[in-house]
């Protein structure tokens, strides 16, 4: 039997474990936020990819260190190249037209200081990566270092259409990739991706932009629970074809106006505006649900749908603003496609919801009681969203705008938007009168 050791003799060992074990454990944790900066430029028969990644994101690679944790630059050449291969070259897929570029050469690998600013342009980054390396005796902590890599791909033509699939998601819990595509004529297009965006056309054709933005709009309306609940509130009491045409068309026209207007810069740039719009979207659900409960006529429902449609259009624009970078030079085409995608999502909801509601009411659920119960549930959800969003809105500081040239320029844009809204409302009123005349002629 081994002799027992007094507990007091374990205290120094435990203290050492507490001090040193966490460093070993947490030293290779997945970073929470990682920013990848990159440039892509075709030149003659070569496609140049420059990438800068924080070295701390390169896990499972043993980088040599010295002293208190400084990167041993003199002996780090092979581990750095291994990291560039495993975490960058193997995780990027590049396409020339529809052809996957399978051949590549890691032309240069460099360690950089966190203060280095060479990635401000393609030329400066290229000069830095292909220039002299840091001195071997540079005191640079491993987790503060940046890894710069130049990868070259043979291509057939610099004027071809290129696409990229950056698969950097696993570098961090949240990975942002900032990519600048430099065309052969020197024009630049800036992209910003969250995690893994899939294949991105860097200079998309109109039909590529069209199909991609239809998918964006369709996905957004299906992911936007508040938008779906509002549309459901609109149609619960009115499930016949004529009211649906007037109500849904009114909502569509209105949100299309503010969505397109926002894409052309009419949205206020104040920080509290998105919070205000989100609060109003939640309030629209509450209002429509309460109107369903107390009773409403479809002859005036189209007016309410038009008013709230203007608000929801601003809400759609917040999601669209992040995706317009994928439009290339086809802004109008992309806006049209996004609207079509949103409408397809709304139509899908109507096609599913209307038959289900009609079936429920035919199978014994009293229509009036069912409308009240369903609307009360929707009002409950909308109320919670509204109170939460109003609390977030209250955290902002409001200030009167400065009366200057920029103020009057913005005012002119808003007056133009108001005129367009008035013309659209007049058109909707004309449509409503025609529908009413048609309804009277069939009686």
């Amino acid at each position: 039997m081994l002799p027992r050791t007094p507990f007091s003799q374990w205290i120094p060992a435990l203290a050492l474990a507490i001090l040193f074990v966490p460093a070993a454990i947490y030293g290779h944790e997945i970073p929470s936020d990682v920013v990848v900066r990159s440039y892509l430029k075709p030149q003659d028969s070569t496609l140049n990819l420059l990438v800068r990644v924080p070295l701390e994101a390169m896990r499972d690679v043993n980088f040599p260190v010295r002293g208190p944790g400084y990167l041993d630059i003199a002996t780090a050449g092979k581990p750095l190249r291994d990291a560039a291969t495993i975490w960058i070259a193997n995780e990027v897929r590049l396409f020339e037209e529809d052809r996957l570029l399978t051949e590549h050469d890691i032309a240069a690998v460099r360690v950089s200081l966190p203060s280095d600013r060479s990635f401000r342009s393609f030329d400066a980054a290229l000069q830095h990566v292909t220039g002299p390396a840091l001195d071997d005796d540079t005191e640079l902590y491993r987790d503060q270092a940046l890894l710069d890599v130049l990868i070259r791909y043979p291509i057939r033509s610099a004027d071809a259409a290129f696409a990229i699939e950056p698969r950097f998601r696993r570098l961090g819990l949240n990975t942002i990739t900032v990519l600048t595509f430099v065309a052969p004529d020197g024009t630049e297009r800036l992209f910003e991706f969250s995690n893994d965006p899939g294949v991105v056309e860097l200079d998309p054709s109109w039909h590529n932009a069209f199909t991609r933005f239809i998918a964006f709009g369709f996905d957004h309306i299906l992911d936007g629970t508040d938008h779906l609940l509002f549309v459901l509130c609109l149609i619960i009491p009115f499930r016949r074809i004529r009211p649906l045409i007037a109500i849904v068309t009114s909502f569509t026209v209105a949100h299309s106006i503010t969505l397109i207007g926002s894409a052309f810069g009419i949205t206020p740039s104040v920080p509290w505006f998105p919070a205000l719009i989100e609060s109003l979207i939640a309030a629209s659900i509450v209002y429509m649900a309460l109107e369903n409960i107390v009773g409403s006529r479809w002859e005036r429902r189209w007016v309410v749908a038009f008013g709230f449609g203007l608000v929801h259009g601003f809400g759609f624009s917040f999601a669209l603003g992040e995706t317009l970078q994928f439009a290339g030079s086809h802004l109008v085409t992309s806006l049209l496609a996004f609207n079509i995608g949103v409408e397809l999502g709304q139509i899908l909801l109507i096609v599913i919801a209307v038959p289900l509601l009609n079936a429920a009411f035919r199978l014994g659920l009293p229509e009036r009681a069912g409308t009240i119960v369903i609307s009360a549930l929707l009002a409950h959800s909308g109320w919670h969203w509204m109170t939460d969003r109003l609390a977030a809105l209250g955290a902002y500081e409001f200030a009167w705008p400065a009366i200057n040239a920029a103020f009057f320029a913005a005012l002119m844009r808003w007056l133009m938007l108001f005129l367009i809204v008035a013309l659209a409302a007049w058109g909707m009123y004309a449509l409503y009168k025609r529908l009413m005349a048609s309804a009277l002629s069939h009686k």
Side-chain angles (χ1 to χ4, degrees), residues 58-375:
M58 309 291 190
R59 303 177 304 280
D60 303 326
V61 178
N62 293 320
F63 298 104
V65 295
R66 56 185 175 82
Y70 298 139
L71 181 68
D72 190 355
I73 298 174
T75 60
K78 186 179 184 305
L80 292 174
R81 186 167 287 272
D82 291 342
T85 301
I86 296 169
W87 290 94
I88 300 177
N90 292 349
E91 296 300 318
V92 175
R93 285 158 51 93
L94 287 166
F95 300 85
E96 181 183 12
E97 304 295 346
D98 294 327
R99 181 175 67 94
L100 175 65
L101 301 179
T102 56
E103 297 181 16
H104 66 268
D105 171 48
I106 300 179
V109 176
R110 290 288 184 273
V111 173
S112 297
L113 298 171
S115 58
D116 181 78
R117 297 293 179 266
S118 61
F119 266 65
R120 65 186 182 275
S121 69
F122 173 82
D123 292 335
L126 180 64
Q127 182 179 1
H128 171 74
V129 174
T130 56
L134 289 177
D135 293 336
D136 291 345
D137 58 354
T138 301
E139 296 181 346
L140 175 61
Y141 286 105
R142 174 195 179 278
D143 288 347
Q144 294 180 346
L146 302 172
L147 178 63
D148 298 337
V149 182
L150 170 62
I151 308 175
R152 289 184 169 138
Y153 299 79
I155 56 176
R156 296 170 181 170
S157 171
D159 296 320
F162 296 97
I164 186 171
E165 184 181 5
R167 298 177 296 179
F168 296 138
R169 172 70 180 85
R170 66 192 189 104
L171 285 170
L173 297 177
N174 180 44
T175 303
I176 302 296
T177 302
V178 180
L179 170 67
T180 302
F181 175 66
V182 185
D185 61 1
T187 59
E188 296 185 354
R189 181 167 293 129
L190 181 66
F191 297 86
E192 184 175 313
F193 314 125
S194 295
N195 299 317
D196 293 345
V199 178
V200 177
E201 302 283 344
L202 298 175
D203 190 13
S205 60
W206 74 265
H207 53 83
N208 284 332
F210 189 81
T211 54
R212 188 180 187 99
F213 275 81
I214 285 181
F216 280 150
F218 188 79
D219 291 342
H220 177 68
I221 191 66
L222 294 185
D223 289 339
T225 308
D226 47 3
H227 297 297
L228 291 178
L229 293 190
F230 177 79
V231 175
L232 188 58
C233 283
L234 282 178
I235 67 175
I236 287 175
F238 311 107
R239 301 177 306 281
R240 298 181 304 279
I241 185 65
R242 189 174 289 108
L244 285 177
I245 290 175
I247 294 169
V248 175
T249 302
S250 180
F251 179 68
T252 298
V253 169
H255 76 62
S256 298
I257 292 172
T258 48
L259 173 63
I260 295 173
S262 297
F264 285 96
I266 294 180
T267 304
S269 58
V270 291
W272 48 263
F273 186 70
L276 173 64
I277 292 299
E278 293 300 324
S279 300
L280 291 175
I281 289 174
S284 70
I285 298 172
V286 176
Y287 176 86
M288 296 305 302
L290 293 177
E291 190 176 86
N292 290 343
I293 292 173
V294 301
S296 175
R297 294 175 57 85
W298 78 268
E299 290 85 351
R300 64 179 297 271
R301 175 61 60 100
W302 73 268
V303 179
V304 180
F306 186 87
F308 282 129
L310 297 173
V311 175
H312 282 252
F314 284 121
F316 291 141
S317 72
F318 301 145
L320 181 63
E322 300 175 359
T323 58
L324 279 180
Q325 59 182 326
F326 303 115
S329 58
H330 310 288
L331 177 61
V332 176
T333 300
S334 301
L335 289 172
L336 174 63
F338 187 86
N339 260 313
I340 292 175
V342 169
E343 301 320 310
L344 290 175
Q346 291 178 176
I347 292 171
L348 177 63
L349 172 65
I350 293 171
V351 168
I352 294 174
V354 170
L356 289 178
L357 289 169
N358 288 334
F361 295 146
R362 282 196 303 267
L363 293 175
L365 179 65
E367 181 169 347
R368 182 63 187 144
T371 298
I372 292 174
V373 170
I374 297 172
S375 298

